[in-house]
Amino acid sequence: MIDITNKINTLRIATAQAIVKVSKQETIDSINNNTVPKGDVFEISKAAGLLGVKKTPELLPDCHPIPIEFAGIEYEINGLEITILFTVKTIYKTGVEVEAMHGASVVALNMYDMLKPIDKGVEIHNIKLLNKKGGKSDYVDNFRKDLKAAVIVCSDAISAGKKEDTAGKAIIKKLEECEVSIMDYTIIPDESDLIQDKAKIYQNDGADLIIFTGGTGLSKRDVTPEALEPLLDRKIPGVEEAIRNYGQNRMPYAMLSRSIVGTYGKSLIMAIPGSTNGAKESMDAIFPFILHLFRIFKGARHD
C-alpha cells in the first residue's frame, strides 16, 4: 500500500453512482409495491451496500482500512432505470472514492440478484465516481504562486563545520514542492542577536516566509524562540499546536519542542525543530495549507 503516514486527517467525502436497468415496467411496479419474491429490494440492497463498503480493503489489496463514519444510499427511478447514489464520509488521511464506488457496485449487484427471478433482462450500467472532496487537491489551486522564503539554520555545530545540515535542506525541498521560491539559505550559530538580525533583514527584504530551524529544544543554547518572540506582532497558536500534535503522533518527545509561529511586519516567521525528522514533519504538518494565510494576511498585494 502507498505510505500515507505523512498525511493529515481531513474530512473526505465521495459520491458514486451505479445504474440498474430493468426490461419492463412490471419490474419497477413490483419494486415500488414491495412484491418482489426475495423481499424489499431497496432496503435489502441498502443493507448489502452498507456491509459491502466496510469490506472494501479486504477485497482490494491497495486500499487502506478506513473508518467509515457515514454511508448514505439514495435511489432515483427514471423510467426503467434505477440510479443508485452512494455517499461515503470519513475524517482520515486518504480518500473514499473507491469505497463509494464499491458500495454502489454491491447495491447494484444485490438488486440484480433479487430481480433476476422476475426479469431476465436486468443490466448494471455506469458505475462511476460523481464527485469527491477533501485532501490537498481541494486546496492547492487556491494558494499563491509568488511567495518567497528565507531559510535559516540555527546550530553551533553546523555553523562550525562539525555537522552537515539536512534539516534546512528538507525545509527547502518542501517549499519547492509548494512552489515557494527560496530567496536565501544560511547557517548561523545559536546566538540571539544573530537570530534577531536575520529576521529583521529578511523582513525588510520582503520575505514572505522566514523559517528558522534549530534552537527550539530545552538546552541552554536553544534560544531561537526567546530571540524571535519579542519581534512578533501576533502569534498563531493554532499552527504551533498543529506542528506539535502532528509530531506527537509520530514520536513521544515532540511535546518538548518549543516551535513558534507568528507574524512580523509583512512576513510570517516560523521556528521549528532542528532535527531532520522534526523539521520535515513540521513542514508536512502545515504545508501547503498554511499558505492560505497569505490570501488573508496580505490580500491581493501581488495578485
Side-chain angles (χ1 to χ4, degrees):
M1 292 188 293
I2 293 174
D3 186 358
I4 60 171
T5 55
N6 65 316
K7 294 186 176 183
I8 61 173
N9 288 347
T10 58
L11 174 62
R12 312 280 185 149
I13 305 172
T15 299
Q17 78 161 27
I19 295 176
V20 174
K21 185 175 181 180
V22 302
S23 65
K24 52 189 178 181
Q25 182 61 39
E26 289 85 347
T27 304
I28 297 295
D29 295 339
S30 295
I31 295 171
N32 286 330
N33 296 327
N34 198 15
T35 58
V36 175
K38 287 191 174 184
D40 189 323
V41 173
F42 285 155
E43 288 302 314
I44 296 174
S45 298
K46 178 179 179 180
L50 294 176
L51 292 171
V53 72
K54 300 170 189 176
K55 298 288 187 180
T56 304
E58 296 180 21
L59 300 174
L60 303 176
D62 276 333
C63 282
H64 295 82
I66 291 176
I68 303 296
E69 296 176 321
F70 172 81
I73 300 160
E74 299 176 31
Y75 301 104
E76 297 176 357
I77 299 177
N78 299 292
L80 298 181
E81 292 185 348
I82 303 168
T83 300
I84 301 155
L85 300 175
F86 200 111
T87 299
V88 179
K89 297 181 183 181
T90 190
I91 297 177
Y92 199 60
K93 300 176 182 179
T94 190
V96 286
E97 304 97 284
V98 173
E99 285 75 10
M101 286 189 285
H102 180 228
S105 302
V106 172
V107 174
L109 189 58
N110 190 77
M111 292 180 69
Y112 177 93
D113 179 62
M114 294 186 72
L115 295 174
K116 65 182 181 180
I118 64 170
D119 190 336
K120 301 303 181 184
V122 180
E123 299 176 347
I124 296 174
H125 296 273
N126 298 330
I127 298 169
K128 65 179 181 179
L129 180 69
L130 296 181
N131 56 70
K132 67 172 185 173
K133 178 182 179 181
K136 184 169 64 175
S137 60
D138 271 7
Y139 306 100
V140 67
D141 290 341
N142 293 325
F143 301 139
R144 286 174 38 180
K145 310 297 184 184
D146 60 344
L147 301 174
K148 53 187 179 180
V151 178
I152 307 98
V153 179
C154 302
S155 169
D156 292 333
I158 296 174
S159 65
K162 297 178 182 178
K163 287 176 58 178
E164 182 182 352
D165 169 56
T166 52
K169 292 174 182 176
I171 292 169
I172 289 171
K173 182 181 180 200
K174 186 69 173 184
L175 290 171
E176 289 175 342
E177 289 173 359
C178 296
E179 299 183 60
V180 177
S181 62
I182 309 303
M183 63 182 287
D184 200 10
Y185 159 65
T186 189
I187 299 169
I188 62 174
D190 292 300
E191 298 289 348
S192 293
D193 291 345
L194 284 175
I195 293 168
Q196 288 190 347
D197 287 345
K198 287 296 182 183
K200 293 174 182 177
I201 289 169
Y202 292 127
Q203 195 275 333
N204 288 333
D205 287 346
D208 297 292
L209 295 100
I210 306 171
I211 303 177
F212 292 84
T213 177
T216 62
L218 289 165
S219 75
K220 291 183 179 180
R221 294 289 290 169
D222 289 329
V223 296
T224 306
E226 287 78 11
L228 294 176
E229 196 157 4
L231 301 179
L232 299 181
D233 301 317
R234 290 185 292 181
K235 292 186 70 177
I236 312 177
V239 180
E240 299 169 358
E241 292 162 10
I243 290 171
R244 275 187 282 274
N245 182 64
Y246 186 93
Q248 192 67 26
N249 285 333
R250 286 154 179 80
M251 63 93 70
Y253 303 140
M255 62 183 176
L256 301 176
S257 171
R258 298 183 301 126
S259 297
I260 64 167
V261 180
T263 61
Y264 173 40
K266 295 180 178 180
S267 302
L268 175 71
I269 287 187
M270 297 170 46
I272 61 177
S275 68
T276 304
N277 282 341
K280 182 181 182 302
E281 290 172 0
S282 297
M283 297 293 288
D284 286 341
I286 60 175
F287 278 83
F289 310 108
I290 196 173
L291 299 180
H292 178 66
L293 175 146
F294 291 99
R295 290 210 175 261
I296 303 168
F297 180 39
K298 300 173 73 170
R301 187 170 71 95
H302 294 305
D303 291 352

